[in-house]
Amino acid sequence: MEQKEIIEILKNDNADELYQKAHKTRVENLGHNVYLRALIECSNVCSRNCLYCGINRENKELKRFSLSKDEIIKTAKLAKELGFKTIVLQSGENQVYDLKTMCGIIEEIKSLNLALTLSLGEKTFEEYKQYKKSGADRYLLRIETTDENLFQKMHPDGNFKNRVECLYNLKELNYETGTGILVGLPNQSIESLAKDILFFRELDADMIGLGPFIPHNKTLLKNEKAGDLELTLKVMALVRILMPNINIPATTAMETLSKNGRKKALISGANVVMPNVTPILNRENYSIYPDKKGVNALNKEELKKLYKEIEEIGDKVSGGFGTSKNFKKINK
Ligand code: SAM
């Protein structure tokens, strides 16, 4: 499938067939297993000023927090007790955890026999290398958009080439590498979405996370229109068809835009859900966009409801680590 065909599909209003095909592709290649990842938002301190993001450094009204190493480990242990096999450690871009501290955190989480995904932003090759040596398995770094002009507008202090390089560094270091985009950024074209999809394939990403852009009232984009759920789902379905073996989360932003966003994603190609285990007191301050509707894993009833929702669509929560089937481990 090339750019022209992808554009045609993205422009087509009737997407039911596309969603069905994506679901069939997922089931044929990965079966009915859904993998849960426990998300720990460990710090909202951020040195960047990404225009769309509510935790960007210019939001002076936000109460900043950083979990201590002990708090992170305690939360990871709790996630393990709740049955999770993977921890996702995410933060704003900061140096709150120096290299030694972060490597210590990684080692302790890995000693719990859990898979670990990091999502800490752009780091140097050496930092990624040391995290990997300490045991980190996966890294998630969305490219956000491959339209370089748009990227530069959205990230005034960012550098597109550096972000791409980070992704290739992660691949080289043999991380299970995840990337993704925001769908519906102001002035984002359908053509650029098609290029984003082709970029995922070229990178040979192991996981792709897509979210609709949701305006945050404390950012410069507060008056912009939110991204469209159907368009996000179409991009996701196409990614599934083109990359049958990768992991794709039904993202919280999808659920935030529509009550059934998660369910729709799970029957249109997604195979992962990331419930939130961040300590409740800190959670509202990790406000990348307003009204986040993620699954609160600390509420047993809510977690049970998620299991039920997954069973109702004919899937089951897997007890495995959920390593991407696309991932080719290199023994160095
Ligand atoms: N600092 C890390 C990084 O740069 O990858 C991870 C943290 S960042 C807050 C996590 C993700 O939140 C980003 O990749 C972005 O796509 C998403 N995000 C931020 N603001 C958003 C918004 N207004 N609407 C939807 N998603 C948003």
Side-chain angles (χ1 to χ4, degrees), residues 60-201:
K60 308 284 186 216
E61 287 168 49
L62 188 66
K63 190 167 170 258
R64 302 285 167 172
F65 75 91
S66 297
L67 300 184
S68 67
K69 179 179 173 184
D70 286 352
E71 285 170 317
I72 294 173
I73 303 305
K74 201 171 136 203
T75 309
K77 285 183 177 160
L78 182 67
K80 185 175 168 143
E81 277 165 30
L82 290 169
F84 289 96
K85 303 289 276 182
T86 294
I87 300 293
V88 179
L89 202 55
Q90 190 177 83
S91 73
E93 212 151 299
N94 63 47
Q95 292 297 331
V96 171
Y97 309 99
D98 62 20
L99 186 58
K100 195 163 158 242
T101 309
M102 185 46 74
C103 288
I105 292 170
I106 295 168
E107 278 163 22
E108 277 207 40
I109 294 179
K110 286 304 294 177
S111 73
L112 300 171
N113 190 29
L114 293 165
L116 176 61
T117 306
L118 298 177
S119 179
L120 311 173
E122 292 171 40
K123 302 281 175 185
T124 63
F125 185 86
E126 192 53 33
E127 284 171 308
Y128 287 150
K129 188 173 168 186
Q130 294 306 322
Y131 297 161
K132 187 80 178 56
K133 244 173 119 179
S134 303
D137 304 283
R138 309 172 186 153
Y139 207 101
L140 180 59
L141 183 77
R142 286 185 181 174
I143 189 69
E144 315 292 1
T145 171
T146 59
D147 174 338
E148 210 171 328
N149 280 334
L150 181 60
F151 183 96
Q152 229 44 69
K153 269 193 202 124
M154 291 294 121
H155 310 100
D157 60 359
N159 181 312
F160 179 71
K161 292 198 172 55
N162 188 61
R163 204 153 176 100
V164 173
E165 193 179 316
C166 283
L167 285 165
Y168 279 95
N169 287 343
L170 292 164
K171 290 284 294 183
E172 188 183 329
L173 288 163
N174 203 216
Y175 278 92
E176 235 183 288
T177 305
T179 188
I181 53 161
L182 280 165
V183 178
L185 286 170
N187 298 318
Q188 185 180 41
S189 66
I190 294 287
E191 287 71 17
S192 86
L193 289 174
K195 283 191 187 146
D196 296 340
I197 296 173
L198 293 172
F199 170 79
F200 302 155
R201 197 170 59 171

Side-chain angles (χ1 to χ4, degrees), residues 4-56:
K4 205 167 145 237
E5 199 183 338
I6 295 175
I7 292 169
E8 263 170 41
I9 296 173
L10 289 177
K11 284 185 173 165
N12 187 346
D13 281 338
N14 186 358
D16 286 350
E17 228 176 87
L18 176 71
Y19 298 152
Q20 281 162 22
K21 191 168 170 197
H23 185 55
K24 192 163 169 263
T25 307
R26 190 262 277 183
V27 171
E28 276 172 9
N29 290 277
L30 307 175
H32 281 286
N33 289 320
V34 170
Y35 297 94
L36 302 189
R37 321 294 199 196
L39 175 65
I40 305 178
E41 297 156 333
C42 58
S43 170
N44 68 352
V45 175
C46 195
S47 59
R48 294 292 183 105
N49 62 348
C50 310
L51 256 53
Y52 46 80
C53 186
I55 66 167
N56 86 49

